Short mmCIF file of all heavy atoms in Angstrom, two decimals:
data_model
loop_
_atom_site.label_atom_id
_atom_site.label_comp_id
_atom_site.label_asym_id
_atom_site.label_seq_id
_atom_site.Cartn_x
_atom_site.Cartn_y
_atom_site.Cartn_z
N GLN A 279 -5.99 -3.50 21.99
CA GLN A 279 -5.25 -4.19 20.95
C GLN A 279 -6.28 -5.01 20.17
O GLN A 279 -6.92 -5.91 20.77
CB GLN A 279 -4.13 -5.04 21.50
CG GLN A 279 -3.34 -5.71 20.43
CD GLN A 279 -2.11 -6.43 21.01
OE1 GLN A 279 -1.96 -6.58 22.19
NE2 GLN A 279 -1.24 -6.95 20.13
N LEU A 280 -6.39 -4.78 18.91
CA LEU A 280 -7.28 -5.55 18.08
C LEU A 280 -6.47 -6.57 17.26
O LEU A 280 -5.48 -6.21 16.67
CB LEU A 280 -8.02 -4.56 17.11
CG LEU A 280 -8.90 -3.57 17.85
CD1 LEU A 280 -9.39 -2.51 16.77
CD2 LEU A 280 -10.12 -4.23 18.52
N VAL A 281 -6.90 -7.80 17.27
CA VAL A 281 -6.20 -8.83 16.55
C VAL A 281 -7.21 -9.58 15.63
O VAL A 281 -8.11 -10.26 16.15
CB VAL A 281 -5.55 -9.80 17.56
CG1 VAL A 281 -4.83 -10.95 16.80
CG2 VAL A 281 -4.66 -9.10 18.52
N GLU A 282 -6.98 -9.44 14.29
CA GLU A 282 -7.80 -10.07 13.32
C GLU A 282 -7.20 -11.47 12.93
O GLU A 282 -5.99 -11.62 12.93
CB GLU A 282 -7.96 -9.23 12.13
CG GLU A 282 -8.53 -7.85 12.36
CD GLU A 282 -7.47 -6.78 12.66
OE1 GLU A 282 -6.33 -7.11 12.89
OE2 GLU A 282 -7.89 -5.62 12.71
N SER A 283 -8.09 -12.38 12.60
CA SER A 283 -7.65 -13.69 12.19
C SER A 283 -8.74 -14.33 11.31
O SER A 283 -9.87 -13.83 11.29
CB SER A 283 -7.34 -14.62 13.38
OG SER A 283 -8.50 -14.80 14.17
N GLY A 284 -8.36 -15.41 10.64
CA GLY A 284 -9.30 -16.22 9.90
C GLY A 284 -9.22 -16.04 8.37
O GLY A 284 -9.98 -16.71 7.67
N GLY A 285 -8.33 -15.17 7.92
CA GLY A 285 -8.25 -14.94 6.45
C GLY A 285 -7.54 -16.18 5.83
O GLY A 285 -7.10 -17.10 6.47
N GLY A 286 -7.49 -16.15 4.51
CA GLY A 286 -6.85 -17.20 3.72
C GLY A 286 -7.19 -17.11 2.30
O GLY A 286 -7.81 -16.15 1.80
N LEU A 287 -6.84 -18.16 1.58
CA LEU A 287 -7.06 -18.30 0.18
C LEU A 287 -8.37 -19.15 -0.02
O LEU A 287 -8.42 -20.25 0.54
CB LEU A 287 -5.87 -18.94 -0.55
CG LEU A 287 -6.09 -19.31 -2.02
CD1 LEU A 287 -6.31 -18.05 -2.89
CD2 LEU A 287 -4.87 -20.08 -2.53
N VAL A 288 -9.29 -18.64 -0.78
CA VAL A 288 -10.49 -19.39 -1.01
C VAL A 288 -10.95 -19.21 -2.47
O VAL A 288 -10.65 -18.17 -3.09
CB VAL A 288 -11.60 -18.88 0.00
CG1 VAL A 288 -11.96 -17.39 -0.27
CG2 VAL A 288 -12.86 -19.76 -0.07
N GLN A 289 -11.63 -20.18 -2.97
CA GLN A 289 -12.12 -20.13 -4.38
C GLN A 289 -13.35 -19.32 -4.44
O GLN A 289 -14.10 -19.16 -3.47
CB GLN A 289 -12.40 -21.52 -4.92
CG GLN A 289 -11.15 -22.39 -5.07
CD GLN A 289 -11.45 -23.72 -5.76
OE1 GLN A 289 -12.59 -24.16 -5.75
NE2 GLN A 289 -10.49 -24.33 -6.33
N PRO A 290 -13.61 -18.68 -5.56
CA PRO A 290 -14.88 -17.91 -5.72
C PRO A 290 -16.08 -18.82 -5.37
O PRO A 290 -16.14 -20.00 -5.73
CB PRO A 290 -14.90 -17.60 -7.29
CG PRO A 290 -13.45 -17.55 -7.59
CD PRO A 290 -12.79 -18.63 -6.76
N GLY A 291 -17.01 -18.25 -4.69
CA GLY A 291 -18.15 -18.97 -4.12
C GLY A 291 -17.97 -19.56 -2.76
O GLY A 291 -18.91 -20.06 -2.16
N GLY A 292 -16.75 -19.55 -2.27
CA GLY A 292 -16.42 -20.09 -0.98
C GLY A 292 -16.76 -19.19 0.18
O GLY A 292 -17.30 -18.13 0.05
N SER A 293 -16.43 -19.71 1.38
CA SER A 293 -16.79 -18.99 2.59
C SER A 293 -15.53 -18.91 3.51
O SER A 293 -14.67 -19.76 3.51
CB SER A 293 -17.90 -19.68 3.34
OG SER A 293 -19.10 -19.74 2.58
N LEU A 294 -15.56 -17.86 4.33
CA LEU A 294 -14.57 -17.72 5.42
C LEU A 294 -15.30 -16.98 6.60
O LEU A 294 -16.20 -16.26 6.37
CB LEU A 294 -13.37 -16.84 4.96
CG LEU A 294 -12.31 -17.43 4.05
CD1 LEU A 294 -11.34 -16.38 3.63
CD2 LEU A 294 -11.55 -18.59 4.74
N ARG A 295 -14.70 -17.26 7.78
CA ARG A 295 -15.22 -16.57 8.96
C ARG A 295 -14.03 -15.86 9.65
O ARG A 295 -13.07 -16.49 10.05
CB ARG A 295 -15.81 -17.57 9.96
CG ARG A 295 -16.52 -16.84 11.10
CD ARG A 295 -16.82 -17.85 12.22
NE ARG A 295 -17.80 -17.31 13.12
CZ ARG A 295 -17.89 -17.70 14.45
NH1 ARG A 295 -17.08 -18.66 14.90
NH2 ARG A 295 -18.76 -17.18 15.29
N LEU A 296 -14.10 -14.55 9.66
CA LEU A 296 -13.07 -13.73 10.31
C LEU A 296 -13.41 -13.50 11.76
O LEU A 296 -14.61 -13.41 12.11
CB LEU A 296 -12.91 -12.44 9.59
CG LEU A 296 -12.69 -12.51 8.03
CD1 LEU A 296 -12.44 -11.10 7.56
CD2 LEU A 296 -11.55 -13.45 7.75
N SER A 297 -12.41 -13.35 12.56
CA SER A 297 -12.58 -13.04 14.02
C SER A 297 -11.75 -11.83 14.33
O SER A 297 -10.63 -11.62 13.84
CB SER A 297 -12.15 -14.19 14.88
OG SER A 297 -12.96 -15.34 14.67
N CYS A 298 -12.19 -11.02 15.28
CA CYS A 298 -11.51 -9.88 15.80
C CYS A 298 -11.53 -9.89 17.31
O CYS A 298 -12.57 -9.71 17.90
CB CYS A 298 -12.17 -8.56 15.30
SG CYS A 298 -11.60 -7.06 16.11
N ALA A 299 -10.42 -10.21 17.92
CA ALA A 299 -10.33 -10.29 19.34
C ALA A 299 -9.93 -8.88 19.95
O ALA A 299 -9.19 -8.11 19.29
CB ALA A 299 -9.28 -11.28 19.76
N GLY A 300 -10.52 -8.53 21.05
CA GLY A 300 -10.20 -7.26 21.71
C GLY A 300 -11.22 -6.17 21.46
O GLY A 300 -11.00 -5.02 21.73
N SER A 301 -12.39 -6.53 21.00
CA SER A 301 -13.40 -5.54 20.55
C SER A 301 -13.98 -4.82 21.73
O SER A 301 -14.49 -3.67 21.56
CB SER A 301 -14.48 -6.21 19.72
OG SER A 301 -15.14 -7.25 20.43
N GLY A 302 -14.05 -5.40 22.95
CA GLY A 302 -14.79 -4.81 24.03
C GLY A 302 -16.31 -4.80 23.73
O GLY A 302 -16.77 -5.44 22.81
N SER A 303 -17.05 -4.08 24.55
CA SER A 303 -18.52 -4.08 24.44
C SER A 303 -19.18 -2.76 24.46
O SER A 303 -20.39 -2.63 24.43
CB SER A 303 -19.11 -4.93 25.57
OG SER A 303 -18.78 -4.40 26.82
#
């Protein structure tokens, strides 16, 4: 099960960090 998070609304030039849980190795 892959669960993505960290998105949102950001202004141009801004930053975000996304995470994906369940990736395995």
Side-chain angles (χ1 to χ4, degrees):
Q279 184 175 7
L280 299 170
V281 181
E282 301 91 350
S283 63
L287 173 63
V288 63
Q289 292 186 340
S293 298
L294 283 173
R295 189 193 195 205
L296 308 184
S297 297
C298 167
S301 60
S303 59

